Amino acid sequence: MADSNRLVEQVQVRIDEFLSTRVPIVAAISPDLTPLVAFSRQFLSGGKRFRALFCYSGWQGAGSSAQDLSPIISAAAALEIFHAAALVHDDIIDNSDTRRGSASAHKLFEGMHGENAWAGSRSEFGRAAGILLGDLLLGWSDELLDEGLDAAPDQTAARLARAEFNRMRTEVTAGQYLDILEERAWLTQPEAELLDRALRVIVYKSAKYSVQAPLVIGAALAGASPAQLDTLRAFGLPLGIAYQLRDDLLGVFGDAAVTGKPSGDDLREGKRTVLVALARQGLSDTMRHDLDEQLGDPTLDEARIAALQRVILASGAVDRVEALIEANVVEAVLALEDSPIGEDAREQLRSLVERVTRRAF
């Protein structure tokens, strides 16, 4: 845990240093751009830093003995900036007003608009400015990654890490599209395919991007062998699935004071998750129709959210999701046994299994 805390601190320092170098660039264009950096700092402070931790664990798992940690710290920090960009865009797509208990980026820009009595629609300005902030963060994540890779002693390994980062960007964007597609196209899809389609969203929107890709990027940067990369992929994918399944439960049943998001937010947003797919399988036609009618209604109040929570619990879906989480955790842990991964790194990965799948935040 102490090593993890030190890594998180180093990643935060690297992010802060990087943002400081961007201040004069934007300030030279216009002082009106100050909020872009200020809001970037806000969204890049704190957080669980799981992607950075997995990136570093992959680097450790490949047996790196490098004394200069700057390349891996920069790569881990770049992943966190990329994640911040994804969250900014995700909140716009989902019409989420909050992030980690505070206003989401587009709502901050809406507030600026209102405070200054600017012309036009507050919400339109907020969404447009939020999209641009997300785009800026995406570009900055690339710049920071390149700074780290340029300093890597093994440029062949650096190119492989860059290729894995590029693949991650494509996969998570594809997964995000599949997510919004399912919210709208589920009604026209065969009933028997809905669970598999929900699982596909988990794999590409979250599992690969949250766990598997950071592991492989870190390992690739360390010059990992094909066998080590295969082990980390075999470990990372089921753990990433378990991670997102836990997140889906928290999106429906989580305590807003703990998660930083309104309780039942996924129900208001109409997320067609594995939890929902399993709930529909366990409900009568009438109750399934009622669930379908209410999912995606942004006006759901606490009483209706509580009623839907009871329906989902009664369907047996929560127990089935918990069983899926446990099965994926077992698969991930088994992938580490007799693997070409150092024992210290294996212990670190086992501790991360607990943190990402047992969390209540």
Side-chain angles (χ1 to χ4, degrees), residues 122-154:
R122 291 176 57 176
S123 62
E124 288 180 7
F125 174 80
R127 291 176 68 85
I131 290 170
L132 293 171
L133 176 62
D135 289 347
L136 183 64
L137 289 168
L138 285 174
W140 281 351
S141 70
D142 255 6
E143 293 174 30
L144 180 51
L145 179 68
D146 284 341
E147 287 184 11
L149 297 184
D150 287 346
D154 184 343

Side-chain angles (χ1 to χ4, degrees), residues 41-86:
R41 289 192 186 280
Q42 178 174 331
F43 284 99
L44 285 162
S45 297
K48 298 178 284 291
R49 302 295 192 218
F50 283 148
R51 288 154 191 83
L53 290 168
F54 281 117
C55 184
Y56 185 73
S57 295
W59 185 81
Q60 279 187 314
S64 176
S65 59
Q67 298 300 307
D68 180 10
L69 300 185
S70 60
I72 189 62
I73 296 300
S74 290
L79 282 166
E80 292 297 333
I81 294 180
F82 180 90
H83 181 51

Side-chain angles (χ1 to χ4, degrees), residues 13 269 289 348:
V13 168
E269 293 169 11
H289 176 75
Q348 174 69 12

Side-chain angles (χ1 to χ4, degrees), residues 159-186:
R159 285 192 293 273
L160 179 57
R162 161 55 78 179
E164 294 294 342
F165 188 89
N166 291 347
R167 178 189 294 273
M168 176 197 71
R169 289 187 309 184
T170 297
E171 288 177 339
V172 71
T173 303
Q176 182 68 274
Y177 175 80
L178 291 173
D179 188 32
I180 63 173
L181 176 67
E182 287 308 301
E183 291 176 24
R184 292 153 180 82
W186 67 271

Side-chain angles (χ1 to χ4, degrees), residues 123-324:
S123 62
E124 288 180 7
F125 174 80
R127 291 176 68 85
I131 290 170
L132 293 171
L133 176 62
D135 289 347
L136 183 64
L137 289 168
L138 285 174
W140 281 351
S141 70
D142 255 6
E143 293 174 30
L144 180 51
L145 179 68
D146 284 341
E147 287 184 11
L149 297 184
D150 287 346
D154 184 343
Q155 283 302 298
T156 299
R159 285 192 293 273
L160 179 57
R162 161 55 78 179
E164 294 294 342
F165 188 89
N166 291 347
R167 178 189 294 273
M168 176 197 71
R169 289 187 309 184
T170 297
E171 288 177 339
V172 71
T173 303
Q176 182 68 274
Y177 175 80
L178 291 173
D179 188 32
I180 63 173
L181 176 67
E182 287 308 301
E183 291 176 24
R184 292 153 180 82
W186 67 271
L187 189 59
T188 65
Q189 304 304 319
E191 186 74 27
E193 295 181 9
L194 294 181
L195 178 57
D196 286 342
R197 292 173 71 92
L199 281 167
R200 184 179 64 176
V201 171
I202 279 183
V203 168
Y204 288 99
K205 183 185 176 184
S206 182
K208 286 178 171 284
Y209 151 67
S210 299
V211 180
Q212 190 188 60
L215 280 168
V216 173
I217 290 166
L221 186 55
S225 69
Q228 288 172 326
L229 292 173
D230 287 345
T231 292
L232 291 171
R233 289 190 178 99
F235 167 82
L237 185 58
L239 181 58
I241 292 171
Y243 169 85
Q244 186 55 45
L245 288 171
R246 176 63 62 203
D247 215 48
D248 289 346
L249 286 174
L250 293 174
V252 173
F253 297 100
D255 182 348
V258 179
T259 65
K261 302 284 282 186
S263 181
D265 217 28
D266 281 4
L267 299 175
R268 295 186 185 92
E269 293 169 11
K271 294 291 184 186
R272 290 284 159 174
T273 61
V274 168
L275 177 66
V276 168
L278 291 173
R280 294 181 80 257
Q281 291 179 0
L283 296 174
S284 66
D285 290 344
T286 300
M287 295 182 73
R288 187 184 308 119
H289 176 75
D290 185 57
L291 176 65
D292 289 338
E293 285 290 301
Q294 296 196 67
L295 275 178
D297 182 350
T299 67
L300 287 174
D301 58 20
E302 290 184 9
R304 291 169 68 196
I305 289 290
L308 287 175
Q309 289 171 334
R310 289 193 293 271
V311 166
I312 292 171
L313 278 168
S315 74
V318 173
D319 289 339
R320 293 177 69 183
V321 169
E322 290 287 2
L324 282 173

